[in-house]
Amino acid sequence: MSNTDNSNPSSLSDVSATPEGPQAKKVPHQMTHHGHTRVDDYYWMRDDNRTDPEVINHLEAENAHTESMLAHTRALQDSLFEELKGRIVKDDSSVPVKDGNFYYSTEVSGDNEYPVYVRADDFAGSNKAVLLDVNQLAAEHDYYNVSDVEVSIDGKLLAYSEDTVSRRMYTIKVKDLDTGKLLVDTLINTSGQIVWQNDNKAFYYIKKDEQTLLEYQVFKHRLGTEQSEDELVYEEKDLTFYTFLDKSKDDSEVYIWHYNTDCKGMSILSADDPNAKPEMFYPREHGLEYQVEKLGQDYFVKTNYKAVNFRLMKTNSADKHNIESWEDVVAPDDNALLEDFELFSNHLVYEQRENGVSTITVRELVTGSEYPLQFDETAFMAHMTGNSEMSASSVRIFYSSLTDPGSHFEYDLASGDKTLLKQKKVLGGFDKQNYQSERVMVTARDGKQVPVSLVYRKSLFKKDGTNPLYQYGYGSYGHTIEPSFSGNWVSLLDRGFVCAIAHIRGSEMLGRPWYEDGKMLNKMNTFNDFIDVTKALVDQKYCADDKVFAVGGSAGGLLMGAVMNLAPNLYTGIASHVPFVDVVTTMLDETIPLTTNEYGEWGNPNEKVYYDYMLSYSPYDNIEAKDYPHVLVTTGLHDSQVQYFEPMKWVAKLRDLKTNDTRLLFKTDMDAGHGGASGRFKSLHDKALEFAFFLDLLENQ
């Protein structure tokens, strides 16, 4: 239903593409909470059906304005696109992963946008067979995404989930791998996750609420039956929880994850028993988080029970409800965050992060002897991936740094000997010896030390306060932005930019307390950290004070909106992608997707203390009549995470109130959602647009 009020024709938006941009009409909409009234002049822009002509016309006018204002950069955009694309190996494949009797991988070729899923009898690719060609599936769609691809236990059937709208509402289909034909089974409105039952006759999936997009019902689908006949296995009644599916590494159990910001737990059901019902592994408790993995008759449990940075414990089925009886495997450490673990028949491999640096340790389970894996850089990312077989004699690690393209290594569990399986090739003349990375600590205004990862081209970096800076940040949900290689950044580094990742509070770069100190009623620390990093990099001569460009997306877009209000003069240009900027209004509306799940991250504004605090930083609510930097805003009409109308309203209000003539450009992908355009090359157009926007500003200073 449209929220547009067309009762006053004279107030319709002036959608002509002028240098000032399309001027939006104002329709005052009052909202009163806790005795406080806000007036939102652009509330009318919300149209849940995305069909209102006036809304669509205004978005198209904004697109036309952006196109017009950047028309002189078209050649630069095209050149950048070809440059970015030119670094990508066109014919490439992933590292094969053994799962059961086959080795699975994906392949891309030529100018194809999408992968082809294949399997073979061995690592070398003997008897390779195509399972799914996504290019064929995507041919008739402007947007196409495959979320999950799962082969049945007997290897004869393949279930996959597809989204053709970009709302992350997936349709599951099943393919007979012998005949290549689709079965009659088609399941709609799912989360995309698929877990097979071990009899090959049924699989589990999650259905989404069509309005809120909340994953809340776990169903079992028996092949050959209608979706309406599917058995409801579990329903989540608490709307603050997300629901996910997984399977134990030995394939014996199906896991139902219960996940919110302050409580994480799991229910378990046998994958061998078609009539199995889920049983909670350990009761959910506020503040308690745990995840389990099975090895034989034992369960290994990563948990924050009496451990701020988590610990690894062990129990068995009989004692799982008696948490006091669980035994420590990796004891809690206030200085090291336990991030991940992987079990093998005779070994445990666990990953920790201390002072922002990852360590990976291999332990022999019987003797308890252990050794660390060695990495060359001081700032890097290293994590376990592709370890599907419990009986494997080696562990696979993905490694990357700001100067090292991603590499897949295999470490022998007994000896620690390392084998390089594959390193990502970067074309276009890239040579890592031309670049230098650094890790520096910046003192924030409250005395906390904020890690910053930097990279630059040696021959172009002067450290005299003349280089331009590209500063990226996120700082929410405990998500850590790793100091890993970006082939796209090479285009900036080769033009003299210093690229920086600000590891601000709200991430877990410095452990769980670093996250806790950047959420809820501590959220301002996230924004202050980012600003303090900028000031420090200017003061330390890493960059020029008039050549600072900042970038963030989603919750990072919120970061961009906040720092623009708090310190607009620090930044020459800002790119804010799919930005979460209308914090208070969104968090008060439980009909908007994901709202209730986010209370543990931002707070519930139905409580006055959180309402007042959110109001103090919400980018949309804090726009003032003052000068703002040049801004590029992007979104997708079908975004399910941050609705298109948030950035749309934000841009309209900024354009109305800002007092200088800086550029304010807004582009909406009318076919895409939160992740942007689909395909491995199409998305590069968006990156080329962002880079051209910044480079043009730099050229015309």
Side-chain angles (χ1 to χ4, degrees), residues 13-304:
S13 302
D14 176 7
V15 295
S16 58
T18 65
E20 295 77 25
Q23 302 299 307
K25 72 174 183 180
K26 295 181 180 181
V27 181
H29 176 83
Q30 289 192 356
M31 297 173 287
T32 301
H33 298 87
H34 307 295
H36 176 259
T37 298
R38 293 177 299 138
V39 177
D40 185 350
D41 290 331
Y42 305 105
Y43 190 87
W44 64 268
M45 291 179 168
R46 175 178 175 178
D47 170 29
D48 290 346
N49 291 328
R50 291 158 171 77
T51 56
D52 184 274
E54 188 172 15
V55 170
I56 299 300
N57 288 344
H58 191 86
L59 291 173
E60 290 176 342
E62 288 282 8
N63 284 350
H65 174 64
T66 297
E67 182 72 23
S68 173
M69 294 299 292
L70 293 179
H72 65 287
T73 71
R74 173 49 61 188
L76 176 59
Q77 290 182 52
D78 292 343
S79 175
L80 283 166
F81 172 78
E82 293 300 328
E83 192 175 303
L84 298 172
K85 184 179 178 181
R87 291 195 192 95
I88 298 174
V89 176
K90 289 190 174 183
D91 298 333
D92 203 2
S93 61
S94 65
V95 177
V97 173
K98 188 174 187 298
D99 191 3
N101 296 323
F102 298 99
Y103 285 78
Y104 294 86
S105 61
T106 59
E107 297 178 346
V108 289
S109 61
D111 289 325
N112 284 342
E113 293 280 358
Y114 302 96
V116 176
Y117 289 81
V118 300
R119 74 178 176 191
D121 290 344
D122 53 33
F123 187 86
S126 302
N127 297 320
K128 186 182 296 181
V130 172
L131 304 180
L132 196 69
D133 187 340
V134 182
N135 299 284
Q136 293 179 0
L137 299 174
E140 298 179 359
H141 303 283
D142 293 324
Y143 175 92
Y144 191 85
N145 181 56
V146 169
S147 174
D148 200 5
V149 175
E150 298 293 338
V151 176
S152 59
I153 303 301
D154 62 7
K156 296 181 178 181
L157 299 172
L158 180 144
Y160 66 95
S161 53
E162 64 178 13
D163 175 13
T164 61
V165 179
S166 191
R167 285 284 285 169
R168 300 188 182 181
M169 292 282 273
Y170 293 91
T171 297
I172 296 175
K173 297 181 179 180
V174 183
K175 180 179 179 180
D176 185 316
L177 293 177
D178 289 330
T179 66
K181 296 181 179 180
L182 290 177
L183 305 188
V184 296
D185 307 78
T186 300
L187 313 181
I188 64 172
N189 297 339
T190 83
S191 71
Q193 286 189 292
I194 304 158
V195 175
W196 281 96
Q197 193 172 276
N198 286 349
D199 65 1
N200 307 297
K201 297 178 180 179
F203 57 80
Y204 298 92
Y205 69 95
I206 301 175
K207 198 167 185 181
K208 282 190 170 187
D209 182 280
E210 295 184 42
Q211 174 65 32
T212 66
L213 305 187
L214 180 65
E215 306 100 340
Y216 75 112
Q217 291 178 320
V218 178
F219 283 91
K220 181 175 68 178
H221 175 73
R222 187 162 295 279
L223 295 177
T225 64
E226 296 292 330
Q227 186 176 10
S228 60
E229 300 174 25
D230 290 350
E231 177 188 348
L232 178 62
V233 174
Y234 175 84
E235 182 169 5
E236 181 57 67
K237 303 293 187 180
D238 187 336
L239 299 184
T240 68
F241 276 83
Y242 293 102
T243 305
F244 303 113
L245 288 176
D246 202 358
K247 201 173 189 182
S248 62
K249 195 169 179 178
D250 66 2
D251 283 330
S252 67
E253 295 180 336
V254 175
Y255 296 151
I256 301 174
W257 279 72
H258 316 294
Y259 187 109
N260 80 5
T261 306
D262 300 310
C263 176
K264 297 175 179 64
M266 300 168 72
S267 292
I268 297 174
L269 64 161
S270 170
D272 295 314
D273 180 2
N275 300 312
K277 305 299 181 185
E279 177 190 356
M280 186 73 69
F281 179 83
Y282 185 83
R284 295 195 318 209
E285 296 178 3
H286 179 73
L288 177 66
E289 301 180 29
Y290 69 84
Q291 66 181 79
V292 306
E293 185 57 76
K294 183 173 175 285
L295 178 60
Q297 300 304 309
D298 292 324
Y299 289 97
F300 285 69
V301 189
K302 177 191 168 188
T303 179
N304 67 344

Side-chain angles (χ1 to χ4, degrees), residues 62-82 84 470 488 491-492 549 551 574-577 631-635 663 665-669 681-697:
E62 288 282 8
N63 284 350
H65 174 64
T66 297
E67 182 72 23
S68 173
M69 294 299 292
L70 293 179
H72 65 287
T73 71
R74 173 49 61 188
L76 176 59
Q77 290 182 52
D78 292 343
S79 175
L80 283 166
F81 172 78
E82 293 300 328
L84 298 172
Y470 180 98
N488 292 339
S491 290
L492 297 178
F549 302 89
V551 184
I574 282 181
S576 186
H577 303 301
V631 183
L632 171 67
V633 183
T634 64
T635 193
R663 295 178 188 172
L665 305 180
F666 179 37
K667 180 182 178 181
T668 301
D669 189 325
F681 298 130
K682 288 180 182 178
S683 61
L684 296 179
H685 287 290
D686 296 332
K687 188 55 61 178
L689 176 71
E690 177 198 289
F691 286 1
F693 176 68
F694 287 160
L695 291 169
D696 184 56
L697 293 174

Side-chain angles (χ1 to χ4, degrees), residues 278-346:
E279 177 190 356
M280 186 73 69
F281 179 83
Y282 185 83
R284 295 195 318 209
E285 296 178 3
H286 179 73
L288 177 66
E289 301 180 29
Y290 69 84
Q291 66 181 79
V292 306
E293 185 57 76
K294 183 173 175 285
L295 178 60
Q297 300 304 309
D298 292 324
Y299 289 97
F300 285 69
V301 189
K302 177 191 168 188
T303 179
N304 67 344
Y305 174 66
K306 296 182 179 179
V308 65
N309 273 327
F310 291 82
R311 68 205 297 180
L312 187 62
M313 307 185 79
K314 185 172 72 171
T315 185
N316 54 46
S317 183
D319 294 331
K320 63 185 179 183
H321 288 304
N322 181 14
I323 199 168
E324 295 293 340
S325 70
W326 297 1
E327 302 173 1
D328 263 334
V329 178
V330 178
D333 186 337
D334 289 344
N335 297 313
L337 173 69
L338 177 64
E339 291 201 309
D340 196 10
F341 71 99
E342 193 76 59
L343 290 171
F344 299 88
S345 299
N346 301 308

